[in-house]
Amino acid sequence: MVDFTFHTKDSAPEESKPLLEKAESGFGFVPNILAGMAEAPALLEGYMTLSGIFDKTSFTPAERQLILLTVSYENECHFCVAAHTGGAKRAEMDDKHIEALRNGQPLDDPKLEALRGFTKKVVTGRGWIEDSDVQKLLDAGYDKQNVLEVIVGVGLKTMSNYTNHIIGTPLNEQLEPLKWDKPKAA
């Protein structure tokens, strides 16, 4: 594997430094994924900007984390599943739902399961979705805006999941308790 640099605020390219400072201010540390993205300031800025936009969607914080965990599970992103497990806990998602998402299992809440299932199909189908899949999400109580907002979350996580795969992002010590490996049966 090519050795990528995980930058500090001091070693990062000038354009990345204020973004890493903002991340540290928000998280209390610089997540290694952002430290790695700092090598390409445009990627780091794009990711952080899209993250802020995703936060403005009509989904609740827990629904946003559900989308991000689902995408990360499907893309087998060890770093992002751990990071969004923490995000789901901060969003007060039910622990049994977090565990189900980490294991790729259906949720016992029909509305949330419809969102998980739709998100999974968007990822695995690379955007090729049957009308019946859209209708299932609508029938569960979501609307057409939500259908399209899922794409924002998928795009956001695709950026970080693919980056993690390419640069081999190690977990920060703060995320070690949330470590994740895809279940063997999945």
Side-chain angles (χ1 to χ4, degrees):
M1 176 176 256
V2 174
D3 189 26
F4 282 86
T5 301
F6 294 89
H7 287 283
T8 65
K9 293 181 297 184
D10 295 328
S11 71
E14 283 303 315
E15 300 90 346
S16 292
K17 288 180 180 183
L19 298 167
L20 293 180
E21 288 172 8
K22 180 179 178 184
E24 184 175 52
S25 173
F27 293 109
F29 66 99
V30 175
N32 284 338
I33 180 56
L34 302 181
M37 285 181 171
E39 184 71 27
L43 174 62
L44 179 59
E45 181 180 5
Y47 180 78
M48 290 179 71
T49 300
L50 189 55
S51 180
I53 291 168
F54 189 54
D55 285 345
K56 295 177 184 178
T57 63
S58 60
F59 291 116
T60 67
E63 288 169 328
R64 289 193 303 270
Q65 291 301 318
L66 180 155
I67 292 165
L68 301 176
L69 275 166
T70 300
V71 176
S72 298
Y73 176 89
E74 292 304 321
N75 285 331
E76 297 182 31
C77 186
H78 298 83
F79 186 93
C80 291
V81 170
H84 291 292
T85 295
K89 289 177 181 292
R90 285 189 303 280
E92 300 180 0
M93 183 185 290
D94 190 306
D95 286 339
K96 68 182 177 182
H97 291 156
I98 294 171
E99 204 54 38
L101 291 165
R102 286 173 56 95
N103 289 307
Q105 297 172 337
L107 304 177
D108 63 3
D109 178 301
K111 184 174 183 183
L112 295 178
E113 175 54 23
L115 181 58
R116 185 196 73 84
F118 181 77
T119 302
K120 176 181 178 176
K121 287 193 176 195
V122 170
V123 174
T124 61
R126 296 179 305 185
W128 295 104
I129 302 297
E130 299 291 329
D131 284 346
S132 61
D133 296 322
V134 174
Q135 193 59 53
K136 284 179 193 173
L137 190 64
L138 297 174
D139 290 346
Y142 291 100
D143 59 26
K144 292 176 184 174
Q145 177 179 337
N146 297 133
V147 169
L148 299 175
E149 288 175 339
V150 167
I151 297 167
V152 179
V154 172
L156 175 66
K157 279 297 94 185
T158 299
M159 292 171 77
S160 63
N161 293 168
Y162 287 12
T163 299
N164 283 316
H165 295 321
I166 292 169
I167 70 175
T169 310
L171 283 181
N172 295 77
E173 68 179 52
Q174 296 90 337
L175 299 175
E176 278 294 329
L178 306 173
K179 183 178 177 183
W180 176 82
D181 290 303
K182 189 166 186 178
K184 300 257 189 273

PDB file of all heavy atoms in Angstrom, residues 165-177:
ATOM      1  N   HIS A 165     -10.457   3.524   1.949  1.00  0.00           N
ATOM      2  CA  HIS A 165      -9.967   2.315   1.284  1.00  0.00           C
ATOM      3  C   HIS A 165      -8.607   2.570   0.632  1.00  0.00           C
ATOM      4  O   HIS A 165      -7.722   1.712   0.676  1.00  0.00           O
ATOM      5  CB  HIS A 165     -10.955   1.837   0.221  1.00  0.00           C
ATOM      6  CG  HIS A 165     -12.277   1.398   0.758  1.00  0.00           C
ATOM      7  ND1 HIS A 165     -12.447   0.693   1.925  1.00  0.00           N
ATOM      8  CD2 HIS A 165     -13.526   1.562   0.261  1.00  0.00           C
ATOM      9  CE1 HIS A 165     -13.725   0.441   2.127  1.00  0.00           C
ATOM     10  NE2 HIS A 165     -14.401   0.967   1.130  1.00  0.00           N
ATOM     11  N   ILE A 166      -8.450   3.726   0.022  1.00  0.00           N
ATOM     12  CA  ILE A 166      -7.219   4.034  -0.705  1.00  0.00           C
ATOM     13  C   ILE A 166      -6.066   4.362   0.230  1.00  0.00           C
ATOM     14  O   ILE A 166      -4.934   3.916   0.007  1.00  0.00           O
ATOM     15  CB  ILE A 166      -7.462   5.188  -1.709  1.00  0.00           C
ATOM     16  CG1 ILE A 166      -8.400   4.697  -2.829  1.00  0.00           C
ATOM     17  CG2 ILE A 166      -6.143   5.716  -2.285  1.00  0.00           C
ATOM     18  CD1 ILE A 166      -8.933   5.792  -3.728  1.00  0.00           C
ATOM     19  N   ILE A 167      -6.325   5.117   1.287  1.00  0.00           N
ATOM     20  CA  ILE A 167      -5.218   5.565   2.150  1.00  0.00           C
ATOM     21  C   ILE A 167      -5.044   4.721   3.409  1.00  0.00           C
ATOM     22  O   ILE A 167      -4.071   4.901   4.144  1.00  0.00           O
ATOM     23  CB  ILE A 167      -5.336   7.065   2.512  1.00  0.00           C
ATOM     24  CG1 ILE A 167      -6.506   7.348   3.457  1.00  0.00           C
ATOM     25  CG2 ILE A 167      -5.422   7.918   1.254  1.00  0.00           C
ATOM     26  CD1 ILE A 167      -6.575   8.805   3.943  1.00  0.00           C
ATOM     27  N   GLY A 168      -5.952   3.771   3.670  1.00  0.00           N
ATOM     28  CA  GLY A 168      -5.806   2.885   4.827  1.00  0.00           C
ATOM     29  C   GLY A 168      -5.842   3.618   6.154  1.00  0.00           C
ATOM     30  O   GLY A 168      -4.964   3.441   7.000  1.00  0.00           O
ATOM     31  N   THR A 169      -6.871   4.408   6.361  1.00  0.00           N
ATOM     32  CA  THR A 169      -6.977   5.246   7.554  1.00  0.00           C
ATOM     33  C   THR A 169      -7.022   4.417   8.834  1.00  0.00           C
ATOM     34  O   THR A 169      -7.920   3.587   9.011  1.00  0.00           O
ATOM     35  CB  THR A 169      -8.257   6.109   7.478  1.00  0.00           C
ATOM     36  OG1 THR A 169      -8.298   6.754   6.217  1.00  0.00           O
ATOM     37  CG2 THR A 169      -8.291   7.123   8.590  1.00  0.00           C
ATOM     38  N   PRO A 170      -6.090   4.654   9.753  1.00  0.00           N
ATOM     39  CA  PRO A 170      -6.160   3.985  11.052  1.00  0.00           C
ATOM     40  C   PRO A 170      -7.183   4.691  11.950  1.00  0.00           C
ATOM     41  O   PRO A 170      -7.437   5.884  11.797  1.00  0.00           O
ATOM     42  CB  PRO A 170      -4.744   4.151  11.613  1.00  0.00           C
ATOM     43  CG  PRO A 170      -4.252   5.425  10.997  1.00  0.00           C
ATOM     44  CD  PRO A 170      -4.897   5.496   9.623  1.00  0.00           C
ATOM     45  N   LEU A 171      -7.755   3.939  12.868  1.00  0.00           N
ATOM     46  CA  LEU A 171      -8.682   4.544  13.831  1.00  0.00           C
ATOM     47  C   LEU A 171      -7.934   5.458  14.794  1.00  0.00           C
ATOM     48  O   LEU A 171      -6.819   5.140  15.216  1.00  0.00           O
ATOM     49  CB  LEU A 171      -9.387   3.466  14.664  1.00  0.00           C
ATOM     50  CG  LEU A 171     -10.513   2.679  14.028  1.00  0.00           C
ATOM     51  CD1 LEU A 171     -11.092   1.693  15.033  1.00  0.00           C
ATOM     52  CD2 LEU A 171     -11.599   3.589  13.498  1.00  0.00           C
ATOM     53  N   ASN A 172      -8.560   6.558  15.125  1.00  0.00           N
ATOM     54  CA  ASN A 172      -8.047   7.389  16.213  1.00  0.00           C
ATOM     55  C   ASN A 172      -8.267   6.628  17.512  1.00  0.00           C
ATOM     56  O   ASN A 172      -9.209   5.828  17.617  1.00  0.00           O
ATOM     57  CB  ASN A 172      -8.819   8.709  16.289  1.00  0.00           C
ATOM     58  CG  ASN A 172      -8.637   9.572  15.077  1.00  0.00           C
ATOM     59  OD1 ASN A 172      -9.245   9.296  14.042  1.00  0.00           O
ATOM     60  ND2 ASN A 172      -7.835  10.608  15.185  1.00  0.00           N
ATOM     61  N   GLU A 173      -7.450   6.906  18.506  1.00  0.00           N
ATOM     62  CA  GLU A 173      -7.626   6.231  19.802  1.00  0.00           C
ATOM     63  C   GLU A 173      -9.010   6.495  20.370  1.00  0.00           C
ATOM     64  O   GLU A 173      -9.581   5.644  21.047  1.00  0.00           O
ATOM     65  CB  GLU A 173      -6.538   6.629  20.796  1.00  0.00           C
ATOM     66  CG  GLU A 173      -6.597   8.071  21.254  1.00  0.00           C
ATOM     67  CD  GLU A 173      -5.510   8.414  22.255  1.00  0.00           C
ATOM     68  OE1 GLU A 173      -4.335   8.148  21.971  1.00  0.00           O
ATOM     69  OE2 GLU A 173      -5.859   8.965  23.311  1.00  0.00           O
ATOM     70  N   GLN A 174      -9.594   7.661  20.075  1.00  0.00           N
ATOM     71  CA  GLN A 174     -10.931   7.993  20.574  1.00  0.00           C
ATOM     72  C   GLN A 174     -12.003   7.077  19.971  1.00  0.00           C
ATOM     73  O   GLN A 174     -13.075   6.911  20.538  1.00  0.00           O
ATOM     74  CB  GLN A 174     -11.280   9.457  20.241  1.00  0.00           C
ATOM     75  CG  GLN A 174     -10.399  10.470  20.920  1.00  0.00           C
ATOM     76  CD  GLN A 174      -9.152  10.841  20.099  1.00  0.00           C
ATOM     77  OE1 GLN A 174      -8.696  10.094  19.243  1.00  0.00           O
ATOM     78  NE2 GLN A 174      -8.597  11.997  20.398  1.00  0.00           N
ATOM     79  N   LEU A 175     -11.713   6.480  18.820  1.00  0.00           N
ATOM     80  CA  LEU A 175     -12.680   5.610  18.149  1.00  0.00           C
ATOM     81  C   LEU A 175     -12.431   4.127  18.397  1.00  0.00           C
ATOM     82  O   LEU A 175     -13.253   3.292  18.028  1.00  0.00           O
ATOM     83  CB  LEU A 175     -12.677   5.888  16.634  1.00  0.00           C
ATOM     84  CG  LEU A 175     -13.071   7.307  16.228  1.00  0.00           C
ATOM     85  CD1 LEU A 175     -12.903   7.488  14.722  1.00  0.00           C
ATOM     86  CD2 LEU A 175     -14.492   7.617  16.650  1.00  0.00           C
ATOM     87  N   GLU A 176     -11.308   3.791  19.012  1.00  0.00           N
ATOM     88  CA  GLU A 176     -10.965   2.376  19.253  1.00  0.00           C
ATOM     89  C   GLU A 176     -12.082   1.590  19.946  1.00  0.00           C
ATOM     90  O   GLU A 176     -12.347   0.449  19.571  1.00  0.00           O
ATOM     91  CB  GLU A 176      -9.661   2.255  20.043  1.00  0.00           C
ATOM     92  CG  GLU A 176      -8.422   2.379  19.193  1.00  0.00           C
ATOM     93  CD  GLU A 176      -8.229   1.252  18.193  1.00  0.00           C
ATOM     94  OE1 GLU A 176      -8.642   0.105  18.452  1.00  0.00           O
ATOM     95  OE2 GLU A 176      -7.652   1.524  17.135  1.00  0.00           O
ATOM     96  N   PRO A 177     -12.777   2.162  20.947  1.00  0.00           N
ATOM     97  CA  PRO A 177     -13.846   1.397  21.592  1.00  0.00           C
ATOM     98  C   PRO A 177     -15.010   1.060  20.637  1.00  0.00           C
ATOM     99  O   PRO A 177     -15.812   0.186  20.929  1.00  0.00           O
ATOM    100  CB  PRO A 177     -14.336   2.312  22.718  1.00  0.00           C
ATOM    101  CG  PRO A 177     -13.220   3.271  22.957  1.00  0.00           C
ATOM    102  CD  PRO A 177     -12.528   3.440  21.632  1.00  0.00           C
TER     103      PRO A 177
END
